Amino acid sequence: MKHQTLVAYFSASGVTAGAAKRLAQAAGADLYEIRPETPYTNADLDWRNPHSRSSVEMNDLSSRPALADRDANIAGYDTIFLGFPIWWGVAPTVVNTFLESYDFSGKKIVLFATSGGSGFGRTAEALKQSVAPDTVIVTGRLLSGRESEGSLKKWLRTV
């Protein structure tokens, strides 16, 4: 029996979207975009401004930005590759909203991220609080969106 795979991603500026599309193609997986109800503007993403939307959300890790939709068919997948940019050393809080909006019981979530320079840090640990106890979360790898299909397929064989 073939296991169903989904690549779900949040992308604020398009970098993670590019990485997710390449990964989905390499994996032969379905693709789902996690979209906030209110899209982020360039001003919202200004991490140097302590009053920008992203700064305010990331300084309150209980923040849960609303989603534009909740129509991902999570029940139809065994493995979910979950991608996002690294913000303040963790996933953006909209990713927690996504995880808390569905039942991931018994599923395997493989994280991938894009980053301007930081690694995963405590991201996997922080996200485990948003899913059922029997959900397996695995730290995958940082992607640039420029990986070849061959290198992605080689990585996919290891997860």
Side-chain angles (χ1 to χ4, degrees), residues 58-101:
M58 297 311 294
N59 281 318
D60 176 7
L61 295 180
S62 66
S63 169
R64 296 294 183 265
L67 299 173
D69 64 69
R70 292 175 188 238
D71 58 4
N73 177 25
I74 298 303
Y77 301 97
D78 301 316
T79 302
I80 295 100
F81 285 84
L82 179 59
F84 45 83
I86 296 289
W87 287 2
W88 288 262
V90 293
T93 56
V94 71
V95 173
N96 296 85
T97 306
F98 172 74
L99 290 174
E100 292 166 7
S101 298

Side-chain angles (χ1 to χ4, degrees), residues 6-12 15-17 19-21 23 31-34 80-86 91-92 94-95 98-99 109-114 120 123 127 141 143 155:
L6 175 69
V7 173
Y9 69 94
F10 164 69
S11 186
V15 175
T16 306
K21 289 172 185 171
L23 181 60
L31 191 63
Y32 177 79
E33 182 180 4
I34 300 165
I80 295 100
F81 285 84
L82 179 59
F84 45 83
I86 296 289
V94 71
V95 173
F98 172 74
L99 290 174
I109 299 173
V110 180
L111 305 178
F112 68 95
T114 56
F120 276 98
T123 304
L127 292 177
R141 65 184 269 198
L143 299 177
W155 171 57

